[in-house]
Amino acid sequence: ALVLRSGSLPAPIIINEERTVGPSLGADSIRQSLIALCLGFAAVMLFMMIYYEVAGIFSVMALIFNLLLIGAALAVLQATLTLPGMAGIVLTIGMAVDANVLIFERIREEIARGNPIRTAINVGFKRATVTILDANITTILAAIVLGQFGTGAIRGFAITLIIGIAASLFTSIIVGRLLFEIVYLRRPKLEKISI
């Protein structure tokens, strides 16, 4: 009891095995995650351009701008892009594509109902915006809770997700609408769109 109370137990340490984990393991994981992120992004871009044609190109331009905004925000915050951060970016890409699909499908529905194309574009953006806001605000609230109560990796994921969703809202609603304005709505006669 006296030996234990003094803080040191005279027991020898026998080392059976010793291993060292270097930074190459983390670098390899990050490299593989970046490759997966790039391949997934390329597949999403290809699908959107094939399925939605010119509108899909608008979607791809908005997605690229979205990634640039996320990168700029992370640079301003001097944040390091980690594996959880990459997961947040992947989820953001999914949410941004979902927003564009909602808008494009609403426009298609309005055209199928026989509305003029200008009206279909305006109504499509207007009706899809409510749904997009609902889904994204809910996700941002969940990310805020994760950031508040999470630690380390969870907080990194939450911060990247919050930045990404805010950028996604801007790019899908504002930038997407701007691209439709520039390419289609400024034409004096608009009879057909590629969507």
Side-chain angles (χ1 to χ4, degrees):
L2 288 173
V3 171
L4 287 175
R5 277 193 214 119
S6 68
S8 63
L9 184 64
I13 296 176
I14 300 169
I15 298 173
N16 288 333
E17 185 177 349
E18 184 176 340
R19 292 187 184 197
T20 304
V21 178
S24 61
L25 182 64
D28 187 48
S29 297
I30 289 175
R31 184 177 49 75
Q32 288 177 347
S33 298
L34 268 175
I35 290 170
L37 178 67
C38 292
L39 288 176
F41 186 64
V44 166
M45 288 192 316
L46 186 65
F47 173 78
M48 291 299 284
M49 288 189 292
I50 290 171
Y51 192 74
Y52 288 110
E53 299 167 357
V54 174
I57 294 171
F58 296 165
S59 172
V60 167
M61 292 169 69
L63 277 174
I64 291 170
F65 189 59
N66 187 355
L67 286 177
L68 289 174
L69 286 176
I70 293 170
L74 290 174
V76 166
L77 295 173
Q78 295 181 347
T80 305
L81 187 58
T82 59
L83 291 175
M86 285 184 207
I89 290 174
V90 169
L91 184 56
T92 297
I93 290 171
M95 296 286 286
V97 168
D98 178 53
N100 287 316
V101 168
L102 283 171
I103 292 168
F104 299 159
E105 290 301 321
R106 288 285 186 171
I107 293 171
R108 280 183 173 179
E109 285 176 14
E110 294 302 319
I111 291 172
R113 287 183 185 159
N115 287 334
I117 293 177
R118 289 180 198 283
T119 307
I121 292 171
N122 291 329
V123 171
F125 269 95
K126 192 176 191 180
R127 289 192 179 163
T129 299
V130 175
T131 307
I132 293 166
L133 286 173
D134 179 40
N136 286 310
I137 288 172
T138 306
T139 305
I140 283 179
L141 291 175
I144 288 170
V145 171
L146 282 174
Q148 185 69 31
F149 297 110
T151 58
I154 295 173
R155 184 170 283 165
F157 172 77
I159 289 170
T160 308
L161 185 60
I162 291 169
I163 292 168
I165 295 297
S168 171
L169 281 171
F170 175 73
T171 56
S172 61
I173 296 171
I174 307 297
V175 174
R177 175 67 185 211
L178 180 66
L179 291 170
F180 270 92
E181 285 278 341
I182 291 169
V183 174
Y184 288 124
L185 296 179
R186 289 187 179 175
R187 293 182 186 174
K189 287 183 97 177
L190 184 60
E191 297 175 1
K192 187 180 178 187
I193 63 170
S194 176
I195 190 167

